[in-house]
Amino acid sequence: MNWYRFLVVFPLGYLALFLIYPLVSILIRSFGYQGETTISPFTYIMGDSYYLTRIWFTIWQAAVSTFLSLIVGLPIAYLFARFEFPGKTILKALSTVPFVMPTIVVAIGLVSLLGPSGILNTTAMNLFNLDNPPIRISNSLTMIFIAHAFYNYAIIVRIVSTFAGNLDQNVEETARMLGASSWRSFYHVTLPLLFPAIASAALLAFAFSFTSFGVVLVLGGSKFATIEVSIYELTTKLFQLPLAGALAIVQLIFTYLFLLLYTKLQERMTVIVGLKPNESAAKKPKTWTEKMFVGSSVLLIILVLSPLISLVIRLFYVGDTHTPSHVANLFSNHRGSFFYLSPIQIMWNSIRFAFTTVIISLVMGTIVAYFLAKPNGGRSSYFDAMFMLPLGVTAITLGFGYIITFNHGILDLRGSSIILVVAHSLIAYPFVIRSILPILRSINPNLKEVSYMLGASQLSVFRHIDMPIIGRGILVGAIFAFAISMGEFGASLILLRPENTTMPVAIFQFLGKPGESNLVNALAMSGLLMALVTTIFIAIERFRFRGLGSF
Amino acid sequence: MKNKISVVVIIFMVLLTSVNCGNEIRELVVISNDSFDISEEVIKEFEEANNAIVIIQKAGSSGEILTRAILERGNPSGDLIYGIDNTYLTRALDENIFIQYESPMLKNVPEKFLLDDTHHVTPVDYGYVNLNYDKAFLEKADLLPPTTLEELTQNRWKGKLVVENPNTSSTGLAFLIATVSYFGENDDYDYLDFWDDLKANDVVVKDSWSDAYYTDFSHYGGDRPLIISYATSPAAEVFYSEGKYDVPPTGNVLIDKATFLQIEGIAILKGSKNVGLAQKFIDFTLDTKFQEDIPGRMFVYSVNQEASLPDFFKFAEVPSEPANISSDMISQNRDKWINEWTEIVLR
């Protein structure tokens, strides 16, 4: 009956080849560097208050960031799950865009908004006749938290709204009928039902904040370093490889333990509910309270998107009236550079890599989710945590692992875009798992039992029962995988042929030189990226399998 | 449903084949740092003259590409590596990853730019890491650019400087070395005291030049009017302004001995299968055509004294007295200086 669970061999093999093998290789090489195979790097770390402080800092800033993402994300998730209003489709697509933007671009956006000569400060100074900018949060923890919330709230929104949209509202309505106030029914009925999705989303947000690299450095500065940053700094000073390796392992262990804690909790707290295939009809707001909620949530979204809005404004401001010609410059190699690539070519590169990433991540993620969904006598939580491990692996460690393992014979993948897609899919498939698994676990098993009893084949049950219910989860997973691939930028680790340049890499390259036209080029390319992903998000959402129920 | 699935499968197959697995054509591969830039027609000239295809792969900062080259020892991803500079030179040489080559074109290169006398790394260009300032900001704040480095520790410059992290940025490392040369190591007031005072004066440290320049430098919306950048950056601001600026909006703070002369070079990697062609390429990089192209592309100076500079370089100021510190000193002490600096500034 469970033959399909053996399909898990494929994701396992993929992980073994592309994650475990290079990781183990680089770690062995790290500890063996310069002939020292001792355990002393660990004792060094544990004894050095500097690293202990960094570890602690990494943990608590991730916790605060997750909390902020939840505060921003939950109301918006509820908005999209329960309400219908004009412009919802576009707003929903736009709200996920932050997730995709490269760090330096977001930093520029935040500076344009909140910097000393940014929009808010100049407006305030003009309005109130001030001499000095009132908002001074450059290079502070505040900026880092704002950026993390900006990036990660979309995770909360997507996962929770999808799950909430599938919830059978009858349960809540019954509670209301029995006399509970709307607050009580929300707090005692809806929230517990939503717990698996909220926990899933929070976990992912935490993982991203925990391993945050660019945000912390660009917006805070070198003094705010996380473990990930330390590993990076140590790795590039080769004689420190043993220490870097030790830190990487520490990060991995922390991640695994944390994931384990999470999965054990998940198992206990999942409630089986009646999940309906139809999106419980998102309604137009009727009562005054509902309208207020919708209005303020939409404002919240616009608030969160404000750095991106200020980026677009900046594009037109920096270029003055020349912006249109600057943008046109993007499309021609008017300086005759050897490295020039037309934006169309760059966009196509980004798209084809992203699409391939989506397919691989969806297949892997779905197989693993199925494998984990059947309770396994408590063992599945260990597997769950293991499959989620890529979230805790340091990018540079893995990158150097690829350099030393995939460099000979058949496996010489240097310069090939395969490694790029592999790396993206490794980061993306945990998102697919977390999008699908809560839904899978919440499907009422009776539903399937009855179908089997009535003579349906396994494939038939999958098509007609599972797919309609998890279909939206799959779509969310696809959106994440796509977003991650479009925004991911590990240029220094992955040796790409210049003709395979992607959009984030192109943006980064523009910002490698001083000068306003370089900034304008970077901003223009960022604008293209925003427009492109918004369009594709909308397209993915509207993708429907015939006969799989309406969403 | 069947139709949609098959469409998806077909698209997937097409995309899979377009995710290429590397070419089989004979080619010359140069691994370069991110700041490399050159004109298409210059490379074309080499390609046509030698019946080859040149692939230039940008692979990160100077430090990152060196780490990669060391990890790939004997089995490099490319034939040549461009971006080894005089701060990292000795670490590169110690690792024994280059093939020696003394180019005949070196006859046009003055002694002081001869990066490596063992001829494993051939110099190609040089630049000056230098303090830049935002003219508009200083004017508005009624401040004159500093005339000594010590001034930076005074109250009026509090919170006005951004520097790069020498752990991760070659720009930052260059400036650090300049401060060692300027203040000395064992004097009453040595470079560590200086950095200690800078830290007390609210200096911001960023990991990369791009971060510092585009988010902290006041010219681009940040709150810091002083930044460690390159002596040619103000000229670049004019060049890349599409006619908006006639004079540079930013300027150089020219303090003797507070500037670092950074020389960059190219080397042939051990394990290359195209050594002859690689040697020809090195000769080509020292030739006039290449050397006259790079100033306008990378905002560096060419080592070949026969090569002429582009027009807008009139805005580029050459520091009269860069920091005087030998390569040997750098190689012996670099890691120590970085560690001590980190101890004082980041911990």
Side-chain angles (χ1 to χ4, degrees), chain A residues 139 218 222 232 237 314 335-338 352 355 407 414 492-493 496 513 515-517 544 546, chain B residues 1 4 15 18 37-38 40 57 64 68 75 167 205-207 214 216 220 240 244-245 297:
Chain A
N139 297 318
V218 180
S222 309
Y232 175 79
K237 300 195 276 191
R314 182 86 180 265
R335 289 195 198 275
S337 169
F338 177 72
R352 63 193 173 97
F355 198 82
N407 58 6
R414 295 176 297 182
S492 55
L493 315 169
L496 268 192
K513 285 196 245 233
E516 282 179 18
S517 65
R544 304 230 190 289
R546 202 175 355 131
Chain B
M1 155 129 155
K4 282 210 176 163
L15 284 175
S18 75
D37 197 6
I38 195 77
E40 198 170 3
Q57 285 190 295
E64 283 166 0
R68 166 187 290 273
N75 184 13
N167 282 291
V205 181
K206 282 292 164 78
D207 258 39
Y214 284 108
D216 288 291
Y220 282 101
Y240 284 118
K244 181 171 167 186
Y245 296 119
R297 296 246 146 236

Side-chain angles (χ1 to χ4, degrees), chain A residues 223-334:
Chain A
K223 63 182 190 227
F224 288 115
T226 53
I227 302 178
E228 185 91 5
V229 172
S230 287
I231 297 174
Y232 175 79
E233 287 180 3
L234 290 169
T235 306
T236 47
K237 300 195 276 191
L238 273 179
F239 58 93
Q240 296 274 40
L241 267 182
L243 211 52
L247 266 182
I249 292 186
V250 166
Q251 177 160 292
L252 216 52
I253 293 179
F254 262 105
T255 311
Y256 187 75
L257 287 175
F258 181 73
L259 285 169
L260 203 54
L261 177 69
Y262 157 82
T263 55
K264 291 262 176 222
L265 230 87
Q266 267 287 54
E267 252 177 36
R268 300 256 225 100
M269 307 205 60
T270 306
V271 177
I272 293 184
V273 297
L275 283 184
K276 311 193 93 173
N278 297 336
E279 177 167 340
S280 50
K283 296 181 276 252
K284 285 197 177 299
K286 289 196 215 78
T287 69
W288 186 236
T289 335
E290 285 183 350
K291 290 188 184 172
M292 287 281 290
F293 176 75
V294 170
S296 44
S297 301
V298 169
L299 274 177
L300 182 59
I301 298 178
I302 297 184
L303 187 68
V304 177
L305 291 179
S306 55
L308 294 181
I309 300 175
S310 62
L311 263 182
V312 177
I313 297 179
R314 182 86 180 265
L315 172 63
F316 288 97
Y317 176 69
V318 176
D320 295 331
T321 49
H322 295 132
T323 294
S325 70
H326 281 223
V327 177
N329 280 341
L330 262 188
F331 287 85
S332 75
N333 191 7
H334 76 298

Side-chain angles (χ1 to χ4, degrees), chain A residues 475-507:
Chain A
L475 283 183
V476 172
I479 288 190
F480 277 131
F482 180 78
I484 286 171
S485 179
M486 287 296 284
E488 188 56 27
F489 146 67
S492 55
L493 315 169
I494 291 158
L495 207 58
L496 268 192
R497 302 254 135 161
E499 61 264 23
N500 285 334
T501 304
T502 55
M503 294 178 90
V505 172
I507 294 171

Side-chain angles (χ1 to χ4, degrees), chain A residues 26 29 33 48 50-51 54 104 107-108 111 115-118 125 136 138-139 217-223 229 232-233 235-241 314 318 320 322 326 329 333-339 348 352-353 355-356 359-360 396 400 403-404 407-408 412 414-418 421 463 491-500 508-519 543-546 548, chain B residues 1-5 8 11-12 15-16 18-23 27 29 31-32 34-41 43-44 47 54-61 63-64 66-68 70-73 75-77 91 95 140 165 167-168 202 204-211 213-216 218-224 232-233 236-237 239-242 244-245 297-299 335 338-339 342 345-347:
Chain A
I26 187 72
R29 182 89 164 252
Y33 202 77
D48 188 346
Y50 174 63
Y51 287 111
R54 279 198 168 177
I104 181 78
I108 293 178
V111 167
S117 43
M125 278 164 71
R136 318 203 76 197
S138 303
N139 297 318
L217 288 178
V218 180
L219 286 165
S222 309
K223 63 182 190 227
V229 172
Y232 175 79
E233 287 180 3
T235 306
T236 47
K237 300 195 276 191
L238 273 179
F239 58 93
Q240 296 274 40
L241 267 182
R314 182 86 180 265
V318 176
D320 295 331
H322 295 132
H326 281 223
N329 280 341
N333 191 7
H334 76 298
R335 289 195 198 275
S337 169
F338 177 72
F339 293 101
W348 173 237
R352 63 193 173 97
F353 294 146
F355 198 82
T356 319
I359 304 272
I360 298 179
I396 192 162
F400 281 136
I403 293 177
I404 65 171
N407 58 6
H408 50 269
D412 191 345
R414 295 176 297 182
S416 129
S417 33
I418 291 183
V421 170
R463 260 181 71 174
S492 55
L493 315 169
I494 291 158
L495 207 58
L496 268 192
R497 302 254 135 161
E499 61 264 23
N500 285 334
F508 175 75
Q509 286 175 355
F510 282 129
L511 293 173
K513 285 196 245 233
E516 282 179 18
S517 65
N518 289 314
L519 178 62
F543 191 81
R544 304 230 190 289
F545 286 100
R546 202 175 355 131
L548 287 188
Chain B
M1 155 129 155
K2 266 202 194 133
N3 288 335
K4 282 210 176 163
I5 297 259
V8 171
I11 296 182
F12 180 45
L15 284 175
L16 202 56
S18 75
V19 173
N20 55 29
C21 307
N23 306 325
E27 53 200 21
V29 180
I31 310 287
S32 81
D34 285 333
S35 45
F36 186 72
D37 197 6
I38 195 77
S39 294
E40 198 170 3
E41 53 161 57
I43 297 292
K44 271 218 163 48
E47 288 179 328
V54 175
I55 306 233
I56 305 180
Q57 285 190 295
K58 296 191 178 182
S61 67
E64 283 166 0
L66 182 56
T67 309
R68 166 187 290 273
I70 295 173
L71 280 176
E72 289 182 338
R73 185 205 310 271
N75 184 13
S77 335
R91 183 194 294 167
E95 295 286 344
K140 185 161 166 230
N165 187 345
N167 282 291
T168 50
D202 195 18
V204 148
V205 181
K206 282 292 164 78
D207 258 39
S208 84
W209 174 90
S210 319
D211 297 347
Y213 204 82
Y214 284 108
T215 59
D216 288 291
S218 54
H219 183 61
Y220 282 101
D223 59 349
R224 312 252 154 180
T232 47
S233 299
E237 285 289 338
F239 183 71
Y240 284 118
S241 66
E242 304 284 338
K244 181 171 167 186
Y245 296 119
R297 296 246 146 236
M298 298 193 281
F299 289 87
D335 296 325
I338 296 179
N339 286 339
T342 309
V345 180
L346 292 183
R347 295 207 180 190

Side-chain angles (χ1 to χ4, degrees), chain B residues 261-326:
Chain B
L261 170 64
Q262 195 178 45
I263 310 171
E264 265 187 329
I266 191 168
I268 307 180
L269 288 163
K270 270 201 179 136
S272 158
K273 310 253 180 347
N274 294 306
V275 179
L277 194 56
Q279 289 174 342
K280 292 222 177 86
F281 190 78
I282 292 189
D283 293 339
F284 182 70
T285 61
L286 286 176
D287 202 355
T288 329
K289 181 122 192 176
F290 191 97
Q291 292 273 302
E292 283 183 350
D293 190 52
I294 49 181
R297 296 246 146 236
M298 298 193 281
F299 289 87
V300 291
Y301 294 91
S302 18
V303 293
N304 184 341
Q305 296 304 282
E306 306 288 310
S308 56
L309 286 173
D311 209 30
F312 60 87
F313 255 63
K314 65 178 184 266
F315 295 119
E317 301 159 271
V318 179
S320 52
E321 198 186 329
N324 190 9
I325 196 153
S326 73

Side-chain angles (χ1 to χ4, degrees), chain A residues 11 14-15 18-19 353-365 387-388 390-391 398 402 417-433 477 480-482 484-486 488 494:
Chain A
Y14 192 83
L15 261 175
F18 289 120
L19 183 70
F353 294 146
F355 198 82
T356 319
T357 304
V358 167
I359 304 272
I360 298 179
S361 314
L362 281 185
V363 169
M364 288 232 312
F387 278 112
M388 296 289 290
L391 287 181
L398 191 61
Y402 285 151
S417 33
I418 291 183
I419 284 290
L420 178 85
V421 170
V422 163
H424 290 187
S425 63
L426 281 177
I427 308 174
Y429 92 86
F431 280 79
V432 176
I433 298 179
F480 277 131
F482 180 78
I484 286 171
S485 179
M486 287 296 284
E488 188 56 27
I494 291 158

